[in-house]
Amino acid sequence: MPMNLIKSFMIVAATSAAFTALGSITDRETPIPTSATDIGTSVRAVIKAQEAAWNRGDIDSYMNAYAHSGKTVFVSSDNVTRGWQTVRDRYKKKYDTREKMGLLTLSELEVTSLSGEAALVLGRWSLKRKADNPHGRFTLLFRRTPEGWRIVLDHTSTAEK
Amino acid sequence: MPMNLIKSFMIVAATSAAFTALGSITDRETPIPTSATDIGTSVRAVIKAQEAAWNRGDIDSYMNAYAHSGKTVFVSSDNVTRGWQTVRDRYKKKYDTREKMGLLTLSELEVTSLSGEAALVLGRWSLKRKADNPHGRFTLLFRRTPEGWRIVLDHTSTAEK
């Protein structure tokens, strides 16, 4: 796409976002940001809320970060878990005690805005537990949904023991 | 962004792609597609070329799939390798014989177009070797570059032995 077309589109998108924000105040809805800076802030807030939910043992609130869709995907090792409900069930089964959940830290977040509708996050995860300290990396694809920015794909890898 | 704005943008983008294609014939350059279908075709072609290069022991051609940039990232277990050259050096060191390279199969490709400029690919990898058969999943972020569609982030995970 020529650069001037991209610029025109960005201006139109920015103007549209401003109108959406104004509209939202009237409608008493929370505006969902579309600028790169605001996307970064929103996405980081979702991840921080997710970390806090985990650390109070609340997997259901943790799962709020994922899009409530049959297309949501969780990838690890050679496994693909498909659908929000199935991803939730996997977490509930794998982490069925507070000891197994441990203390989660999500850090080194790098957010890349891909459009007004999608963003990619690379980050590090670490679980502090009595028995061990598993850790690794994750790549998250976020999409703008009517509920806010939500994870539609999570690829998580773990350091070898 | 309102739906009618997205539609308008898609029409403008499609028109622009058509002009680009016409321009490219004159310029004798290969047009770089921006429609969702064409992005899928292009991205799959890059991955198939990558697989073929690997299977003739040609890591340098394999590396053509990655954006030749200091920002290109390869993620596995708890490791992040940054920069095209460093990613290449990692492959060259880890797979320094044809026996270690084995026979690569990249399959179950799912391409999601995120904009005219970015696409995400989920897929499965498998190495057939005399000694073992490592396998797992990968998530690739592709970006449209002047050279064509190229990988800017590769997150690869491996099944536990």
Side-chain angles (χ1 to χ4, degrees), chain A residues 1-2 5 9 12 16 75 77-78 80 82 110 112 114 124 135-137 139 141 143-144 155 157-159, chain B residues 1-2 5 9 12 16 75 77-78 80 82 110 112 114 120 124 135-137 139 143-144 155 157-159:
Chain A
M1 199 191 305
L5 185 66
F9 173 63
V12 174
S16 159
V75 184
S77 62
D78 193 11
V80 181
R82 290 177 198 272
E110 295 173 43
T112 305
L114 302 170
R124 188 165 190 270
H135 54 96
R137 302 279 166 168
T139 297
L141 178 65
R143 289 276 207 174
R144 197 164 74 98
H155 193 158
S157 58
T158 307
Chain B
M1 201 189 306
L5 185 66
F9 173 64
V12 175
S16 159
V75 184
S77 62
D78 192 11
V80 180
R82 290 177 196 274
E110 296 173 41
T112 306
L114 302 170
L120 200 82
R124 189 166 188 271
H135 54 94
R137 302 280 165 167
T139 297
R143 289 275 207 175
R144 197 165 73 98
H155 193 158
S157 58
T158 307

Side-chain angles (χ1 to χ4, degrees), chain A residues 42-121:
Chain A
S42 301
V43 157
R44 282 166 198 274
V46 170
I47 294 171
K48 281 292 146 190
Q50 199 179 24
E51 182 188 71
W54 186 277
N55 290 331
R56 58 174 192 269
D58 184 353
I59 286 179
D60 283 326
S61 292
Y62 173 88
M63 284 301 300
N64 275 341
Y66 293 89
H68 210 303
S69 157
K71 289 185 176 176
T72 293
V73 174
F74 181 87
V75 184
S76 61
S77 62
D78 193 11
N79 304 315
V80 181
T81 306
R82 290 177 198 272
W84 184 91
Q85 189 63 47
T86 320
V87 173
R88 178 190 171 276
D89 293 348
R90 178 192 166 278
Y91 273 117
K92 283 271 191 185
K93 191 180 173 187
K94 189 167 180 184
Y95 300 96
D96 58 355
T97 65
R98 285 302 293 271
E99 284 68 34
K100 286 182 192 167
M101 289 185 78
L103 187 74
L104 176 66
T105 305
L106 303 174
S107 61
E108 300 180 36
L109 304 180
E110 295 173 43
V111 183
T112 305
S113 169
L114 302 170
S115 73
E117 306 292 320
L120 200 83
V121 182

Side-chain angles (χ1 to χ4, degrees), chain B residues 2 12 63-64 138 156:
Chain B
V12 175
M63 284 301 300
N64 274 341
F138 55 83
T156 286

